[in-house]
Structures are given as C-alpha cells and as structure tokens.
Amino acid sequence: MRSRYTAYTLQNFKYLITTTHPAQQSAVKQQKLYEQSAHTLWQKLEVVDKESGEASDPVGIVEFKAWFKESLSSPEKVHHERSSFMKIEDRWYFIYPGISHTKTDAVGRNDPCPCGSGRKYKKCCNQTNG
C-alpha cells in the first residue's frame, strides 16, 4: 500500500500498473491514471487498519486515508478507502474493484461474483471500468 501511495506521489504510473493484479493490468490505462491524478498534490498517508496481509497470507485488505490537494491554494481533502490485495508468487498485487481478476468463462451474469464481493457478477466484475 505504501509503495503504491509513493508511486502516486511520484506519478510513477508504470509501477501502479505493474503492481495491479496481472489479470487486470490490460484494463488499467496509464493515460487514465495520469488524467485522474497528474495534478494531485499528495500530502500524507495513514494506514487505518488491515486484515490479513501477513507474509503467510494469500490476501489482505488495507484501510487507509490519503490526504491531498488539487492545487496549492485549494483546501486539503481526504480519500478514504479499503483496498484488496492478493499475493501471487510472493508479490502483492492491488485488486481494482469492478475489474475481473478471475477466470469468468463459467460464471453466469446472475451468479455470485467470483471476486467474493457478495454481489451478482453482472453488477460487479462484469463491468470493466478500465
């Protein structure tokens, strides 16, 4: 989580894509990341809580707050999020909500989403918001 925050502060969008779940990387566009955060002035990061995410865990969730400004004179705002991560071959990858990170060939539109959100597939990972 901290390395991705640092990548945002440095506008290292290649790193942000590389640390995204491999099945989602093609859906994440470097240009879109740039457009969303190129003019963001990141102020600080606070990790609020985490679930799992230890060396022996295959998944983890990090709750964080990231303070930012949209310009030097703008008021400070906070982005509060719970992010999911998955470990693959001893590397942690961020999982974008709404972009499938699992094989979905056998998943029907009304079946539970394989990402574990509890929502129907058609209302969750079937929506590719790259």
Side-chain angles (χ1 to χ4, degrees), residues 59-73:
V59 296
I61 297 173
V62 177
E63 180 180 358
F64 70 92
K65 293 180 182 178
W67 282 264
F68 66 96
K69 289 184 172 190
E70 294 172 339
S71 71
L72 287 173
S73 60

Side-chain angles (χ1 to χ4, degrees), residues 16-81:
L16 292 169
I17 292 171
T18 301
T19 57
T20 296
H21 192 285
Q24 296 179 321
Q25 289 178 7
S26 64
V28 178
K29 307 286 187 252
Q30 186 164 336
Q31 181 63 30
K32 187 169 183 176
L33 287 171
Y34 175 81
E35 290 168 2
Q36 290 174 339
S37 61
H39 303 291
T40 303
L41 303 169
W42 295 101
Q43 305 297 300
K44 68 178 179 176
L45 172 70
E46 174 191 352
V47 174
V48 177
D49 193 19
K50 71 178 180 89
E51 295 176 25
S52 302
E54 300 298 328
S56 61
D57 295 323
V59 296
I61 297 173
V62 177
E63 180 180 358
F64 70 92
K65 293 180 182 178
W67 282 264
F68 66 96
K69 289 184 172 190
E70 294 172 339
S71 71
L72 287 173
S73 60
S74 70
E76 194 172 74
K77 298 180 181 181
V78 65
H79 175 78
H80 188 177
E81 181 178 318

